[in-house]
Structure formats: structure tokens, C-alpha cells
Amino acid sequence: MATPATPASAPAATPAPAPAPAATAAPASVPAPAPTPASAPAPAPAPAPVPAPAPAPASSSDSATAPATTAAPGQTPASTPAPAQTPAQSLPGPALPGPFPGGRVVRLHPVILASIVDSYERRNEGAARVIGTLLGTVDKHSVEVTNCFSVPHNESEDEVAVDMEFAKNMYELHKKVSPNELILGWYATGHDITEHSVLIHEYYSREAPNPIHLTVDTSLQNGRMSIKAYVSTLMGVPGRTMGVMFTPLTVKYAYYDTERIGVDLIMKTCFSPNRVIGLSSDLQQVGGASARIQDALSTVLQYAEDVLSGKVSADNTVGRFLMSLVNQVPKIVPDDFETMLNSNINDLLMVTYLANLTQSQIALNEKLVNL
Amino acid sequence: RQNAHAQRIFSAKKMASRKEGTGSAATSSSSTTGPAGKGKGKGGSGDSAVKQVQIDGLVVLKIIKHYQEEGQGTEVVQGVLLGLVVEDRLEITNCFPFPQHTEDDADFDEVQYQMEMMRSLRHVNIDHLHVGWYQSTYYGSFVTRALLDSQFSYQHAIEESVVLIYDPIKTAQGSLSLKAYRLTPKLMEVCKEKDFSPEALKKGNITFEHMFEEVPIVIKNSHLINVLMWELEKKSAVADKHELLSLASSNHLGKNLQLLMDRVDEMSQDIVKYNTYMRNTSKQQQQKHQYQQRRQQENMQRQSRGEPPLPEEDLSKLFKPPQPPARMDSLLIAGQINTYCQNIKEFTAQNLGKLFMAQALQEYNN
């Protein structure tokens, strides 16, 4: 699935987007073969040669003035190939063509998304979206995004200005805390990829090889906050000026254990009327955890009953899981269990007693010293 | 480390004195109702100014992440909390971490880092008012002199500041452990005088239980973040680790008890010192008494012989009173022991609950 991106400047060239599944009825000839094989999905050669609108012989410099071409953003899979101008020469050579470092999976930590939403809420008056830098680490199979910060920028119909100085400074500051984080790309809120995105993407290409672009849909189109990641790839007729396409990537959510627990807790605010929750006491937590397991067990039981009564067809893999589950319950001779239980309880009670004793001791000490 | 803290506080003071009523707070919909003003909490002079701490989900996640990535073993990670004060509630809306290992990098300027960070955050409309700091802890040991000093400086500069203690090990066991502490007003008074002698402490009537007060925490999210949470819940797999229900407790308990024992040892050393001091004082008293008596006797003898009496000598010069041992340290140790005991009791209570549940299940099986 490729999303064509409209560039912001430059001489015209032939577009050649080719969304593989939804090849819209496009009459015409086939320009380019697929761009860099590693990153692009096999584009079906059935692009639409859209007549390039009056090739605005715009200044081919990186000026941020976009010609008034139709932007055709749209990241829905069935996107129609749009007239795509090419920004061409301004793209740094070595960054794009190589295979996307780290494969095609982007692992996000929830703290990033919370940060992005928070910066969106704090945006300046009149700004439709916010952008910022993504930081993280790269490894062989995936890219892990662990931090981000927002960057002030101004965007209007014709131009976009990003405060790169600020971005650099913030990156330096962040590096002092976590020296292992690298600039991986950038994010933007909003559900479109606009012309300006391409320019901004270009800015970021200078900072990082093959940057990722993340969009978080805070305008809640389709009633969901969709989170997507893209990497840009070259496309076009070889030998002529090349276009840029944003290829989607798989997004997975990665959690540290403690993060998982934190997120579970924070999620509870969804259920409380004024979105406020307190931290619960120790036994309440045990109660909560057991309630969760109870729910899980009742789901499993329900499934088993459904299968038995014939409502649902049996699935072997599930059956195997169930069997291993049942086998995991250890068979303990009741007497042994009693002894184990009692000794554990004794230990705990003794420790509680000791703790209480210590506390009374220090209280006593306090009194004596103050005499 | 203490110098670093002092520097940080200095910059905090500067920032506090430059509190501007910009509209930045107004745009943040993550704070609650109405006038998100920057007014100071109006507590009574004896009361604490902050009754409740409200933390954004984002801050919690950031603290967790910071420890996870940068903290190892017994090192503490620290950072600054940003937010604002609304009536008697302290709202924490953002935070940023402080780099560690500053000793390695000699020309690293903490104050400058902080100023730059806050300036940059201001550009993107994040609340830049310094309201406290956070620190991770190892098995609950955080009652130290350094913490006391830092918190005092913070609280002196900014009345409502708190220190958030995050316990990663307890969190990994299944439930978020985040506590907010402030110094009690009594302790603030004592620290202000910088007088930690026993008399001052006795006057202030400070016991180890009244050093820190815990402020209740609530977590609050904006609507948009709630939407995000729904989204995440749909997309992420259910957590498959149920650490909270694990019955294995001996490791954790052992560690806790070890730390407790160390502290109790220190405490007992302290007590020994105190006892020697008492003994010395009483011995000295006796000696003084004896000396006085001898003097009197001599004087009487001299009088009877018609000689001038010996001049009264200044007893205090002859008998220098022994130094009373520092009370502050033992207070801190007592406070720490108290915290350990509380933690242990909570932990054992949880485990007892779990054991009883296991017993009930087993009986049901049989």
C-alpha cells in the first residue's frame, strides 16, 4: 500500500504511484518499475498517468513554497493515485535508496503517544497540527521509538517553517540523559499527509538516515485515533526526476513490564466520571488482579461450554492451550500443601511481628531520648 | 550530589521569581476545571499548602520509562516535575529527567541544563513552573540527609513542592508505587534555623513520624488521552504476566529484611553513642559536684586558718560538657526504619491474602 505524497516544489515529472490492491481504473501507460525493492510493497504496474497540472516551474530550490497543486493525501488503502509532483533533487542520495534500516516494524512505547497527544492539546492558537522529533534505537529487525519532543513550527497554506535550531538543541539536551537515543524521524498529528509533510520529511532526512514519519490522528476521523507510520521511498521513472511516496509500516506497541502496569492503571481513568483515579491499597490490588483472572477464566469456560454444546466449532490450537493450562496446575498432596501453606504463613506472620516490634522500639527510643 | 541539588534549587528560585501569568496554562486542557491560575495554594500558616497531588498519566509513564532505561541497580534516577498549583491541589503536568553521572563530565552545568530545558519547553507551551522533583528508590530507602536537604530547599523556594518517590521494584511486582512527600511545617522550621541540636529538635517536638507527610495522589487524564488509551487497549495484547498474584515472596522479603537489619544496626550504634554520652555527662556532673565540695572544704579550712579563700573558678571551663550526639541522623534512621516496616507490613498483608486464597482454592479442589 503506497500513499502518494505531494511534494512542495519543483519541476514536474511523471508520477507513478501504484497502490497494489486498489488499482483504480487508470487508463494508461506504465512508467517506472518499483522503486527500492526492500521498502516498497510490490507495486502493481498500473499507475495512473495523471496529467501533471501545469508544471509550475517552481524554483527548484528548497523554498517552502508549494505550488498550488492539488494535494491528494489520503492514507486509506484504497487511495487513488494522485497527481504527484516530485521534489526530486533535494533528496539526499544515500539515505533513501538503501533498504529501510531495521525492517518494517516500528515498535512504539505508549509514552510517545501520550506525549504527542499532550503536545497537541497544548498547541498554539490557530495551529492545526503539531510536529515533533522521534527518538529511539534501531536494531536489526525493528525500530524502537522510545522518546519524543515537540518542535514549534508554523504552517500556512503556502509555506511551512520548522524551528530546526530548537530541534537540535532539544536533541542535545535529551542526549545528555539518554546517550543511546538517536533521531529516528518525526511525527505529526492529523490524519493527512500534506505537501508540507514532504518538506518536513526532507528536513529530517538530513538528521537521520531514512527517517520514519508517524501520524497520530487526533481529529478522530472515523471515530478512532489511528496511528500510522510511514517511511518515504523514491518512485518514478529512473533517469528522470524521482517522486516520493510514503510507504506504511507495521506499528506494534512495546511495553516494559512496569510500563504495562502503569498503562493499566492509567487506563482506569476511562471509567471514572471525572477522569480521576487514586492509587489503590495493597489488598485492593490483589482483589483487582484476581477479578481479572476470574474474568479470563469465565471466558475460557464459556468457550469450552460452547464447543461442547456445538455452538462453536472446536479449534485444535485452542484445545492444546487449554490442555497445557490444566496441566499446569500442580498436583499436590493435601498434607504437603498444608505444611507448605502453614510454614509460609508462619514466616509472614513472624516478619509482621518483627516489623511491629521494631516500630514500637524506635517509638520508645524516641520517647526516652526526648526525656 | 548535594551541591548539585543546591544548584538546582537556586535555579528553581530564579524561575519562581519570574512567574509569569502567561496563557500557557490556559491552553492545556489536561488541567481540570476553570481558572487554572498560577496562584499559590492558600494554606493556613500551620496547615500544609497542598492537600492533594494530581498527576497526569503522561508524567507517570515518563517516570517509569526514565527509570527503566537509565536506572540500574541501586542508583537513583532523578528529574524535575513541572506543573501548576490550583487552590489546594498540586497539578503535575509534565516532567523531564536529569542526567546522571554528572561527576564524569566535569563541565556539565546542571543549572544550565535545567534552564535550557525549561526555556525550550516553554516554547511548546508546556507548563514551565517548577513544582517539585522525583526520585526512584531502591526497596524503599529514601529517607536520607540528601533528600531532606533537597526537599527543604525546594519547599523553601516553592511552597507547594513535593517529592515523588517511585519504587520500581514494587511496581514490577504488580502495582504502581508512587508516593508524594512533603516536609512537615515543624521540620521546615527546624531546617530553617539550620539548628539540628537536640534542644531545638526537642523544642520542635519532632518525632520520626512527623518528618514527612504523605500527600494523596490521584491520576488524571484528559479526554483525548482516554481515547488514546482505548485505542491502545484494542491494539495491544493483554498483559500475560500476573506478577501480582505470584506466591513467591521470599526473595523480596529477604532483601527488605536485610536492609532493615542494616538500619537497625546503625540505630543501635547510635544508641550506644547516646548512652556513652549520657554516662559521660553524669560522670561529669559527679566530678563537678566533688570538685565543688572539695573547694568548699578548702575554703572552710582556709577561713579557719585566716587565709583568703581561693577564688571561685569557672566550673564550666574546667569541665567541658561532652558533645551531645547529633540527633538528626538518628531521626532519619528512625524514619527510614519506619518506612521499611510499613513496606514490609504491606507486603506481608498482601501475601497472606494470596496464601489464604490459594488455600481456599485447594480446599475446593479436594
Side-chain angles (χ1 to χ4, degrees), chain B residues 214-251:
Chain B
E214 189 179 334
V215 187
I217 294 186
V218 293
I219 298 190
K220 172 139 190 164
N221 280 329
S222 68
H223 290 294
L224 210 49
I225 299 243
N226 276 350
V227 174
L228 177 70
M229 290 294 144
W230 280 115
E231 190 68 31
L232 277 183
E233 187 171 342
K234 274 198 201 163
K235 295 270 187 65
S236 333
V238 174
D240 54 353
K241 282 197 176 164
H242 295 280
E243 283 301 327
L244 192 51
L245 291 178
S246 139
L247 286 176
S249 58
S250 50
N251 204 6

Coordinates of all heavy atoms in Angstrom, one line a residue, chain B residues 214-251:
Chain B
E214 N 2.7 12.4 53.9 CA 2.4 11.9 52.6 C 1.2 12.6 52.1 O 0.2 12.8 52.8 CB 2.2 10.4 52.7 CG 2.1 9.8 51.3 CD 1.9 8.3 51.4 OE1 2.3 7.7 52.4 OE2 1.3 7.7 50.4
V215 N 1.2 12.9 50.8 CA 0.1 13.6 50.2 C -0.6 12.6 49.3 O 0.1 12.0 48.5 CB 0.6 14.9 49.4 CG1 -0.6 15.7 48.9 CG2 1.5 15.7 50.3
P216 N -1.9 12.5 49.3 CA -2.5 11.6 48.5 C -2.4 12.0 47.0 O -2.4 13.1 46.7 CB -4.0 11.6 48.9 CG -4.2 12.8 49.7 CD -2.8 13.2 50.2
I217 N -2.3 11.0 46.2 CA -2.1 11.2 44.7 C -3.3 10.7 44.0 O -3.9 9.7 44.3 CB -0.9 10.4 44.2 CG1 0.3 10.9 44.9 CG2 -0.8 10.5 42.7 CD1 1.5 10.2 44.3
V218 N -3.7 11.5 43.0 CA -4.7 11.0 42.0 C -4.1 11.1 40.7 O -3.3 12.0 40.4 CB -6.1 11.7 42.1 CG1 -6.7 11.5 43.4 CG2 -5.9 13.2 41.9
I219 N -4.6 10.3 39.8 CA -4.1 10.4 38.4 C -5.2 10.9 37.5 O -6.4 10.4 37.7 CB -3.6 9.0 37.9 CG1 -2.5 8.6 38.8 CG2 -3.2 9.1 36.5 CD1 -1.8 7.4 38.3
K220 N -4.9 11.8 36.7 CA -6.0 12.3 35.8 C -5.5 12.4 34.4 O -4.4 12.7 34.1 CB -6.2 13.8 36.3 CG -7.1 14.5 35.5 CD -8.0 15.3 36.3 CE -9.1 15.8 35.3 NZ -10.2 16.3 35.9
N221 N -6.5 12.1 33.5 CA -6.2 12.2 32.1 C -7.2 13.0 31.4 O -8.3 13.1 31.8 CB -6.3 10.8 31.5 CG -5.0 10.0 31.8 OD1 -4.0 10.5 31.9 ND2 -5.2 8.7 31.9
S222 N -6.7 13.6 30.3 CA -7.7 14.4 29.5 C -8.5 13.4 28.6 O -8.2 12.3 28.5 CB -7.0 15.4 28.6 OG -6.3 14.7 27.7
H223 N -9.5 14.0 28.0 CA -10.4 13.1 27.2 C -9.7 12.5 26.1 O -9.8 11.3 25.8 CB -11.6 13.9 26.7 CG -12.5 14.4 27.7 ND1 -13.3 13.5 28.4 CD2 -12.8 15.6 28.2 CE1 -14.0 14.1 29.3 NE2 -13.8 15.4 29.2
L224 N -8.8 13.3 25.5 CA -8.1 12.8 24.3 C -7.2 11.6 24.7 O -7.0 10.6 24.0 CB -7.3 13.9 23.7 CG -7.1 13.8 22.2 CD1 -8.4 13.6 21.5 CD2 -6.5 15.2 21.7
I225 N -6.6 11.8 25.9 CA -5.7 10.7 26.3 C -6.5 9.4 26.6 O -6.1 8.3 26.3 CB -4.9 11.1 27.6 CG1 -4.0 12.3 27.3 CG2 -4.1 9.9 28.1 CD1 -2.6 12.0 27.4
N226 N -7.7 9.7 27.1 CA -8.6 8.5 27.3 C -8.9 7.8 26.0 O -8.9 6.6 25.9 CB -9.9 8.9 27.9 CG -9.8 9.1 29.4 OD1 -8.8 8.6 30.0 ND2 -10.8 9.6 30.0
V227 N -9.1 8.6 24.9 CA -9.3 8.0 23.6 C -8.1 7.2 23.2 O -8.2 6.0 22.7 CB -9.6 9.1 22.5 CG1 -9.6 8.5 21.2 CG2 -10.8 9.8 22.9
L228 N -6.9 7.7 23.5 CA -5.7 7.0 23.2 C -5.6 5.7 23.9 O -5.2 4.7 23.4 CB -4.5 7.9 23.6 CG -3.2 7.3 23.4 CD1 -2.9 7.1 21.9 CD2 -2.1 8.1 24.0
M229 N -6.0 5.7 25.2 CA -6.0 4.5 26.0 C -6.9 3.5 25.4 O -6.5 2.3 25.4 CB -6.4 4.8 27.4 CG -5.4 5.7 28.1 SD -3.9 4.7 28.4 CE -2.7 6.0 28.2
W230 N -8.1 3.9 25.0 CA -9.0 2.9 24.3 C -8.3 2.3 23.1 O -8.4 1.1 22.9 CB -10.3 3.6 23.9 CG -11.2 3.8 25.0 CD1 -11.7 4.9 25.5 CD2 -11.9 2.7 25.7 NE1 -12.6 4.7 26.5 CE2 -12.8 3.4 26.7 CE3 -11.9 1.4 25.7 CZ2 -13.6 2.7 27.5 CZ3 -12.7 0.7 26.6 CH2 -13.5 1.4 27.5
E231 N -7.7 3.1 22.4 CA -7.0 2.7 21.1 C -5.9 1.6 21.5 O -5.8 0.6 20.9 CB -6.4 3.9 20.4 CG -5.9 3.6 19.1 CD -7.0 3.4 18.1 OE1 -8.1 3.9 18.3 OE2 -6.8 2.6 17.2
L232 N -5.1 2.0 22.5 CA -4.1 1.1 22.9 C -4.6 -0.2 23.4 O -4.1 -1.3 23.1 CB -3.2 1.7 24.0 CG -2.2 2.7 23.5 CD1 -1.4 3.2 24.7 CD2 -1.2 2.1 22.6
E233 N -5.7 -0.1 24.1 CA -6.2 -1.3 24.7 C -6.7 -2.3 23.6 O -6.5 -3.5 23.6 CB -7.4 -1.0 25.6 CG -7.9 -2.2 26.3 CD -8.9 -1.9 27.4 OE1 -8.9 -0.7 27.7 OE2 -9.6 -2.8 27.8
K234 N -7.2 -1.7 22.5 CA -7.7 -2.6 21.4 C -6.5 -3.2 20.7 O -6.6 -4.3 20.3 CB -8.4 -1.7 20.4 CG -9.9 -1.6 20.7 CD -10.6 -1.1 19.5 CE -11.9 -0.5 20.0 NZ -12.6 0.3 18.9
K235 N -5.4 -2.4 20.6 CA -4.4 -2.9 19.7 C -3.4 -3.8 20.5 O -2.7 -4.5 19.9 CB -3.6 -1.7 19.2 CG -4.4 -0.8 18.2 CD -4.3 -1.3 16.8 CE -4.9 -0.4 15.8 NZ -4.2 0.9 15.8
S236 N -3.3 -3.6 21.8 CA -2.2 -4.4 22.4 C -2.7 -5.6 23.0 O -3.8 -5.7 23.4 CB -1.6 -3.5 23.5 OG -1.7 -2.2 23.3
A237 N -1.8 -6.6 23.1 CA -2.2 -7.9 23.7 C -2.4 -7.7 25.2 O -1.8 -6.8 25.8 CB -1.1 -8.9 23.4
V238 N -3.2 -8.5 25.7 CA -3.4 -8.4 27.2 C -2.1 -8.8 27.9 O -1.4 -9.7 27.4 CB -4.5 -9.4 27.6 CG1 -4.7 -9.5 29.1 CG2 -5.8 -9.0 27.0
A239 N -1.9 -8.2 29.0 CA -0.6 -8.5 29.7 C -0.7 -9.9 30.1 O -1.7 -10.4 30.7 CB -0.5 -7.6 30.9
D240 N 0.3 -10.7 29.8 CA 0.3 -12.1 30.2 C 1.0 -12.4 31.4 O 1.2 -13.5 31.8 CB 0.8 -12.9 29.0 CG 2.2 -12.5 28.6 OD1 2.6 -11.4 29.2 OD2 2.8 -13.1 27.8
K241 N 1.5 -11.3 32.1 CA 2.2 -11.6 33.3 C 1.3 -11.2 34.5 O 0.9 -10.0 34.6 CB 3.5 -10.8 33.4 CG 4.5 -11.3 32.5 CD 5.8 -10.7 32.9 CE 6.9 -11.4 32.1 NZ 8.1 -10.6 32.2
H242 N 1.1 -12.1 35.4 CA 0.3 -11.7 36.5 C 1.1 -11.7 37.7 O 0.9 -12.5 38.6 CB -0.9 -12.6 36.7 CG -1.9 -12.4 35.5 ND1 -2.8 -11.4 35.4 CD2 -2.0 -13.2 34.4 CE1 -3.4 -11.5 34.3 NE2 -3.0 -12.6 33.6
E243 N 2.1 -10.8 37.8 CA 3.1 -10.8 38.9 C 2.4 -10.6 40.2 O 2.9 -11.1 41.2 CB 4.1 -9.7 38.7 CG 5.1 -9.9 37.6 CD 5.9 -11.1 37.9 OE1 6.1 -11.4 39.1 OE2 6.3 -11.8 37.0
L244 N 1.3 -9.9 40.1 CA 0.7 -9.5 41.4 C 0.3 -10.7 42.2 O 0.2 -10.8 43.4 CB -0.4 -8.6 41.1 CG -1.0 -7.9 42.4 CD1 0.1 -7.2 43.1 CD2 -2.0 -6.9 41.9
L245 N -0.1 -11.8 41.4 CA -0.7 -12.9 42.1 C 0.4 -14.0 42.4 O 0.0 -15.1 42.9 CB -1.8 -13.5 41.3 CG -3.0 -12.6 41.3 CD1 -4.1 -13.3 40.4 CD2 -3.6 -12.4 42.7
S246 N 1.6 -13.7 42.1 CA 2.6 -14.7 42.4 C 2.8 -14.9 43.9 O 2.8 -14.0 44.7 CB 3.9 -14.2 41.7 OG 5.0 -14.5 42.5
L247 N 3.0 -16.2 44.2 CA 3.1 -16.5 45.7 C 4.5 -16.5 46.2 O 4.7 -16.6 47.4 CB 2.5 -17.9 45.9 CG 1.0 -18.0 45.8 CD1 0.6 -19.5 46.0 CD2 0.4 -17.2 46.9
A248 N 5.5 -16.3 45.3 CA 6.9 -16.4 45.7 C 7.3 -15.1 46.3 O 7.3 -14.1 45.7 CB 7.8 -16.7 44.5
S249 N 7.5 -15.1 47.6 CA 7.8 -13.8 48.3 C 9.1 -13.8 49.0 O 9.5 -12.7 49.4 CB 6.7 -13.6 49.3 OG 6.7 -14.6 50.2
S250 N 9.7 -14.9 49.1 CA 10.9 -14.9 50.0 C 12.0 -14.0 49.5 O 12.7 -13.4 50.3 CB 11.4 -16.3 50.2 OG 11.6 -16.9 48.9
N251 N 12.2 -13.9 48.2 CA 13.3 -13.1 47.8 C 13.2 -11.6 48.2 O 14.0 -11.0 48.8 CB 13.4 -13.2 46.2 CG 14.7 -12.9 45.7 OD1 15.7 -12.7 46.5 ND2 14.8 -12.8 44.4

